[in-house]
Amino acid sequence: MDFLTILQITDSGMRLATPLLFACLAGLFSERAGIFDIGLEGKILVSAFFSAGVAAAFGSVWLGLLAGLASSLSFSLMHGVASITFRGNQLISGVALNYFASGITILIGSAWFALGGRTPSLQDEARFGAVELPFSWTKESAEAAGMKLNEAIAQAGPVQQFYSELLSGHTILVYVAIAMVPTAWWVLNRTRFGLRLRAVGENPGAVDTSGVSVIKLRYAAMVIAGLLCGMAGAYMATGLGAGFVKEMSGGRGYIALAALIFANWRPWHALGATFLFGLLQAIANRYQSLDLGGVTIPVQLMEALPYILTVVILAGFIGKPTPPKAGGQPYVKER
């Protein structure tokens, strides 16, 4: 395996990890505030559908992104009403939203486009295009040099290969996802809002005693989680893919929760955990079978690796995670 192949697999891993990273950060904010959010899967799915549907209908990826954000935010607020206002079981509420998203996307999609729950294939302005950074090889610059893009990158030096193949050429939401990691760390650890949010997940009674509204903080966390899941779904349908298909979230919401546990509810660790899942999926996509010292690993096992790793993490083999102490517990204000 040469250097360029490694870069290409890593590049694919970054793309596949992006929706996981958005969803993982969404779960980070909600669970740090004491709200377990099993409904990440449903929010990703409904955002993917409405972003693709609106983008296909109006020919604008930005309108599609707004529709995806709005739909995910509405689901997040429904979860907030059920678990915060009415103090319902957070796990049941999240699972109900997942089933609701699965059904409503097929129902509306069939009525809207008559394609069995799918949306039309997205083209041109209805999809996010690649952002080519300055001084990187592009299709146009390669043609100007009388070469194909793959040939130009293959003949470039390792530094230029790293820059053109790995750093450049992603959609804008990939860069937004990476930028959200230091932003989330700064918000949670260096702002008054973040410190209060973390305190709500550990000891909501103490926060309430200090005169800060636990309800408002938890709803704020749900709003942030809804917006982040909205970007995850929109990226899947209009950046990573070219439209919506049934159940296209493919369990990514659950994998994001496993990555969150793996990351021990820390933003920088979340980046590494989600990239690991994305890298495993990229390897499985590239190699139909992998030969390791005479032992051939079938493609079915390679495709199952991210889910096997999820089971291993949830079984507690990767250390003992420390969740927020008040996580999953409805807060009842003392009178």
Side-chain angles (χ1 to χ4, degrees):
M1 186 182 295
D2 59 13
F3 180 67
L4 184 57
T5 301
I6 294 174
L7 286 180
Q8 290 171 345
I9 294 174
T10 306
D11 175 77
S12 180
M14 286 179 59
R15 298 172 192 269
L16 293 169
T18 295
L20 295 176
L21 181 56
F22 274 127
C24 189
L25 293 175
L28 174 66
F29 274 96
S30 64
E31 296 198 9
R32 279 291 192 176
I35 305 296
F36 286 162
D37 199 354
I38 300 296
L40 296 176
E41 177 80 3
K43 285 184 278 192
I44 295 173
L45 188 62
V46 75
S47 170
F49 170 73
F50 280 103
S51 60
V54 171
F58 296 96
S60 171
V61 69
W62 295 107
L63 287 178
L65 175 61
L66 289 176
L69 292 175
S71 60
S72 177
L73 181 59
S74 65
F75 266 58
S76 194
L77 291 176
M78 281 192 282
H79 183 53
V81 169
S83 59
I84 301 172
T85 302
F86 293 106
R87 299 191 290 274
N89 186 291
Q90 298 173 9
L91 300 181
I92 294 176
S93 172
V95 171
L97 286 177
N98 291 342
Y99 280 106
F100 181 46
S102 177
I104 198 172
T105 52
I106 296 174
L107 178 65
I108 298 178
S110 298
W112 193 354
F113 298 107
L115 294 174
R118 296 183 294 108
T119 63
S121 180
L122 303 179
Q123 304 291 335
D124 302 327
E125 298 300 321
R127 289 193 65 200
F128 281 108
V131 177
E132 302 294 348
L133 300 180
F135 310 113
S136 64
W137 278 108
T138 63
K139 184 178 180 180
E140 290 74 17
S141 60
E143 290 177 350
M147 296 183 291
K148 294 182 178 179
L149 180 58
N150 291 337
E151 295 175 352
I153 295 178
Q155 295 179 17
V159 175
Q160 181 62 29
Q161 288 179 345
F162 179 84
Y163 182 73
S164 297
E165 188 69 33
L166 187 60
L167 298 185
S168 181
H170 298 286
T171 64
I172 189 171
L173 288 181
V174 175
Y175 299 110
V176 171
I178 296 173
M180 281 304 303
V181 175
T183 302
W185 176 87
W186 180 79
V187 169
L188 289 172
N189 295 281
R190 292 292 184 268
T191 67
R192 180 179 298 178
F193 169 77
L195 294 174
R196 288 175 172 175
L197 193 73
R198 289 190 292 131
V200 165
E202 298 292 336
N203 192 342
V207 175
D208 194 17
T209 302
S210 67
V212 178
S213 173
V214 173
I215 303 300
K216 289 182 180 179
L217 281 171
R218 287 189 167 180
Y219 267 110
M222 296 309 299
V223 168
I224 295 172
L227 294 175
L228 289 171
C229 279
M231 285 188 274
Y235 172 74
M236 286 194 64
T238 61
L240 188 62
F244 176 84
V245 296
K246 292 189 293 184
E247 307 294 344
M248 75 176 301
S249 52
R252 284 176 175 82
Y254 301 115
I255 294 179
L257 285 175
L260 181 60
I261 297 170
F262 189 16
N264 206 15
W265 292 268
R266 296 178 181 177
W268 288 107
H269 293 68
L271 176 61
T274 52
F275 177 70
L276 175 60
F277 282 103
L279 190 62
L280 288 173
Q281 191 173 0
I283 294 172
N285 291 342
R286 187 176 182 92
Y287 296 101
Q288 293 300 306
S289 60
L290 192 61
D291 189 0
L292 297 177
V295 178
T296 301
I297 301 177
V299 64
Q300 292 83 359
L301 180 59
M302 294 296 298
E303 291 176 347
L305 275 179
Y307 304 95
I308 294 173
L309 184 60
T310 300
V311 174
V312 170
I313 290 170
L314 294 178
F317 291 114
I318 314 294
K320 185 178 180 180
T322 307
K325 294 180 181 178
Q329 301 174 10
Y331 178 68
V332 181
K333 185 179 179 65
E334 295 182 2
R335 298 184 182 279

